[in-house]
Amino acid sequence: MKTAYILILCIVIGWSSFGQPQVTISDFEKLDNSNWIGSLMYINYKDGQEITLRTTMQILLEGNKILMHTQYSDEPKANSKESIKIRKDGAYLGNEELIEKNMEMGILKLVTKYQGKDNNKTAMIYKTYTISENEFTIEKRVDYLDSEQKILRNRYRYQKVSG
């Protein structure tokens, strides 16, 4: 009888983690030591207009982290550095929970979610990372919790220059 309980417990634990997408740093090898040129499209909070800025980015992998250094050609004061750590056995990218991982024809698609604020409103925020040999995009969608409104907040689109 004790063996049956242990077997059931193992099955339940196994099923609860089954289907949970996970990433490792090796999923991002195409990005290591690379340079990118592209654009950021975002929806302006003040007037809802679409704005596009020219950007460049350098990416390095360091241990279990993805280091991204982004420059905005037209707004250098907005330049940024970001470090995303793979956490919780690959179930999280930083504080974003990984909810989808697909690899098709050499293109990796990752979808994450987290609860946060957008335009001073509580929202569920979804990010889609698409990585191929020569293209990299990050798309941020916002689903406001207090309304039916869902919007595309921004999209980074890059072409590989070197690396």
Side-chain angles (χ1 to χ4, degrees):
M1 187 64 142
K2 189 175 184 180
T3 305
Y5 286 122
I6 292 172
L7 179 61
I8 290 170
L9 180 62
C10 289
I11 290 170
V12 168
I13 290 171
W15 278 107
S16 67
S17 62
F18 180 75
Q20 170 67 46
Q22 295 178 314
V23 294
T24 65
I25 198 67
S26 64
D27 288 316
F28 300 93
E29 285 179 355
K30 293 177 183 178
L31 301 176
D32 192 21
N33 198 26
S34 60
N35 295 293
W36 303 80
I37 189 166
S39 63
L40 162 63
M41 181 287 297
Y42 69 92
I43 304 301
N44 191 341
Y45 287 109
K46 291 180 183 176
D47 59 13
Q49 295 298 308
E50 187 176 299
I51 309 289
T52 301
L53 300 174
R54 297 176 298 146
T55 66
T56 58
M57 181 170 51
Q58 300 77 44
I59 302 175
L60 290 171
L61 302 183
E62 187 176 277
N64 213 25
K65 295 179 186 174
I66 304 153
L67 307 174
M68 298 188 295
H69 184 200
T70 306
Q71 301 83 40
Y72 300 90
S73 305
D74 303 313
E75 290 188 32
K77 289 182 181 180
N79 292 355
S80 65
K81 292 183 179 179
E82 183 176 8
S83 175
I84 301 172
K85 184 176 183 179
I86 297 172
R87 300 179 40 242
K88 297 189 179 185
D89 295 324
Y92 280 76
L93 289 177
N95 293 322
E96 303 169 18
E97 180 184 3
L98 185 64
I99 60 172
E100 182 182 329
K101 177 183 177 182
N102 292 313
M103 175 68 96
E104 193 172 307
M105 297 177 57
I107 299 171
L108 175 63
K109 178 182 173 186
L110 305 171
V111 180
T112 64
K113 73 174 183 176
Y114 62 97
Q115 189 169 325
K117 294 259 184 191
D118 182 83
N119 204 15
N120 295 317
K121 298 177 190 174
T122 303
M124 188 59 69
I125 300 170
Y126 297 89
K127 283 189 176 177
T128 301
Y129 300 82
T130 307
I131 303 166
S132 70
E133 191 65 40
N134 295 308
E135 295 181 356
F136 178 42
T137 63
I138 304 170
E139 190 171 272
K140 179 178 173 181
R141 295 189 175 274
V142 177
D143 184 356
Y144 293 109
L145 298 182
D146 63 351
S147 74
E148 297 290 319
Q149 186 180 17
K150 297 178 183 186
I151 63 166
L152 171 64
R153 173 56 65 202
N154 63 46
R155 180 187 305 114
Y156 288 89
R157 278 194 179 149
Y158 289 101
Q159 297 288 318
K160 186 183 271 188
V161 177
S162 66

